[in-house]
Coordinates of all heavy atoms in Angstrom, one line a residue:
L22 N 110.8 114.7 81.3 CA 110.8 113.4 80.6 C 112.0 113.4 79.6 O 112.3 114.5 79.2 CB 109.4 113.5 79.7 CG 108.1 113.5 80.4 CD1 107.0 113.2 79.4 CD2 108.1 112.5 81.6
S23 N 112.4 112.1 79.4 CA 113.5 112.0 78.4 C 112.9 112.2 77.1 O 111.6 112.2 76.8 CB 114.0 110.6 78.5 OG 113.1 109.7 78.0
A24 N 113.7 112.3 75.9 CA 113.3 112.6 74.7 C 112.4 111.4 74.2 O 111.3 111.5 73.6 CB 114.3 112.8 73.7
R25 N 112.8 110.2 74.6 CA 111.9 109.1 74.2 C 110.6 109.1 74.9 O 109.6 108.7 74.4 CB 112.8 107.8 74.6 CG 111.9 106.5 74.3 CD 112.7 105.2 74.3 NE 111.9 104.3 73.9 CZ 111.6 103.2 74.6 NH1 112.2 102.9 75.7 NH2 110.8 102.1 74.2
Q26 N 110.6 109.3 76.1 CA 109.3 109.4 76.9 C 108.4 110.5 76.3 O 107.3 110.3 76.0 CB 109.6 109.6 78.4 CG 110.2 108.5 79.1 CD 110.3 108.9 80.6 OE1 110.9 110.0 81.0 NE2 110.1 108.0 81.5
Q27 N 108.9 111.6 76.0 CA 108.1 112.6 75.5 C 107.5 112.3 74.1 O 106.4 112.6 73.9 CB 109.0 113.9 75.2 CG 108.1 115.2 74.8 CD 107.2 115.6 75.9 OE1 107.6 115.9 77.1 NE2 106.0 115.6 75.7
R28 N 108.4 111.5 73.3 CA 107.8 111.1 72.0 C 106.6 110.0 72.3 O 105.7 110.1 71.6 CB 108.9 110.4 71.2 CG 108.6 110.4 69.8 CD 109.8 109.9 68.9 NE 110.6 108.7 69.3 CZ 111.7 108.7 69.9 NH1 112.4 109.8 70.0 NH2 112.3 107.6 70.3
L29 N 106.8 109.2 73.2 CA 105.8 108.2 73.6 C 104.5 108.9 74.1 O 103.3 108.6 73.7 CB 106.2 107.1 74.5 CG 107.3 106.2 74.2 CD1 107.9 105.6 75.3 CD2 106.6 105.2 73.1
V30 N 104.7 110.0 74.9 CA 103.5 110.7 75.4 C 102.9 111.5 74.1 O 101.6 111.6 74.1 CB 104.0 111.6 76.4 CG1 102.8 112.8 76.7 CG2 104.3 111.1 77.7
D31 N 103.6 112.0 73.2 CA 103.0 112.8 72.1 C 102.3 111.8 71.1 O 101.4 112.2 70.5 CB 104.1 113.7 71.4 CG 104.6 114.7 72.4 OD1 104.0 115.0 73.4 OD2 105.7 115.2 72.2
E32 N 103.1 110.7 70.9 CA 102.8 109.9 69.7 C 101.9 108.6 70.0 O 101.0 108.2 69.4 CB 103.9 109.6 68.8 CG 104.4 110.8 68.2 CD 106.0 110.7 67.5 OE1 106.3 109.5 67.2 OE2 106.5 111.6 67.3
F33 N 102.5 107.9 71.1 CA 102.0 106.6 71.4 C 100.6 106.8 72.3 O 99.6 106.0 72.1 CB 103.0 105.9 72.1 CG 102.6 104.3 72.3 CD1 101.9 103.7 71.5 CD2 103.1 103.7 73.5 CE1 101.6 102.4 71.7 CE2 102.6 102.3 73.8 CZ 102.0 101.7 72.8
L34 N 100.7 107.7 73.3 CA 99.5 107.9 74.1 C 98.1 108.2 73.4 O 97.2 107.6 73.7 CB 99.8 109.0 75.2 CG 98.7 109.2 76.2 CD1 98.4 108.0 76.8 CD2 99.2 110.3 77.3
P35 N 98.3 109.2 72.4 CA 96.9 109.3 71.6 C 96.6 108.0 70.9 O 95.3 107.9 70.8 CB 97.4 110.3 70.6 CG 98.6 111.0 71.2 CD 99.4 110.0 72.0
R36 N 97.4 107.2 70.6 CA 97.0 105.9 70.0 C 96.3 104.9 70.9 O 95.4 104.1 70.4 CB 98.0 105.2 69.3 CG 98.8 105.9 68.1 CD 99.2 105.1 67.0 NE 100.3 104.1 67.4 CZ 101.6 104.3 67.6 NH1 102.1 105.5 67.2 NH2 102.4 103.4 68.0
I37 N 96.8 104.9 72.1 CA 96.2 104.0 73.2 C 95.5 104.6 74.2 O 95.1 104.1 75.2 CB 97.2 103.0 73.8 CG1 98.3 103.8 74.6 CG2 98.0 102.1 72.6 CD1 99.0 102.9 75.5
G38 N 95.0 106.0 73.9 CA 94.4 106.8 74.9 C 92.9 106.5 75.0 O 92.4 105.7 74.0
L39 N 92.2 107.0 75.9 CA 90.7 106.9 76.0 C 90.2 108.1 75.0 O 90.8 109.0 74.9 CB 90.1 106.9 77.3 CG 90.7 105.9 78.3 CD1 89.9 105.9 79.6 CD2 90.4 104.5 77.7
P40 N 88.8 107.8 74.5 CA 88.3 108.9 73.8 C 88.2 110.3 74.7 O 88.0 110.0 75.9 CB 87.0 108.5 73.4 CG 86.8 107.1 74.1 CD 88.1 106.7 74.6
D41 N 88.4 111.4 74.1 CA 88.5 112.7 74.8 C 87.0 113.1 75.5 O 87.0 113.7 76.5 CB 88.8 113.9 73.9 CG 90.2 113.8 73.6 OD1 91.0 113.4 74.5 OD2 90.5 114.5 72.6
D42 N 85.9 112.5 74.8 CA 84.6 112.9 75.3 C 83.7 111.6 74.9 O 84.1 110.8 74.2 CB 84.1 114.2 75.1 CG 84.3 114.5 73.6 OD1 84.2 113.6 72.7 OD2 84.8 115.5 73.3
G43 N 82.5 111.8 75.6 CA 81.4 110.8 75.3 C 81.6 109.6 76.1 O 82.6 109.5 76.9
P44 N 80.6 108.6 76.0 CA 80.7 107.4 76.8 C 81.9 106.6 76.5 O 82.4 106.5 75.4 CB 79.4 106.7 76.4 CG 78.6 107.6 75.6 CD 79.5 108.6 75.2
I45 N 82.4 105.8 77.4 CA 83.4 104.8 77.4 C 83.0 103.4 77.6 O 82.4 103.2 78.7 CB 84.6 105.1 78.5 CG1 85.2 106.5 78.1 CG2 85.7 104.0 78.2 CD1 86.1 107.1 79.2
D46 N 83.1 102.6 76.6 CA 82.8 101.2 76.7 C 83.9 100.5 76.6 O 84.5 100.3 75.5 CB 81.7 100.9 75.6 CG 81.3 99.4 75.6 OD1 81.7 98.7 76.5 OD2 80.6 98.9 74.8
P47 N 84.4 99.9 77.7 CA 85.7 99.2 77.7 C 85.7 98.0 76.8 O 86.7 97.7 76.0 CB 85.9 98.7 79.2 CG 85.2 99.7 79.9 CD 84.0 100.1 79.1
A48 N 84.5 97.3 76.6 CA 84.5 96.2 75.8 C 84.7 96.6 74.2 O 85.5 95.9 73.4 CB 83.2 95.3 76.0
A49 N 84.2 97.7 74.0 CA 84.3 98.2 72.5 C 85.7 98.6 72.2 O 86.1 98.8 71.1 CB 83.2 99.3 72.2

Side-chain angles (χ1 to χ4, degrees):
L22 301 186
S23 69
R25 173 163 188 238
Q26 287 178 321
Q27 189 64 58
R28 201 168 50 248
L29 288 167
V30 168
D31 292 341
E32 294 169 16
F33 188 38
L34 181 56
R36 293 212 306 273
I37 66 161
L39 300 185
D41 284 337
D42 42 44
I45 296 170
D46 178 2

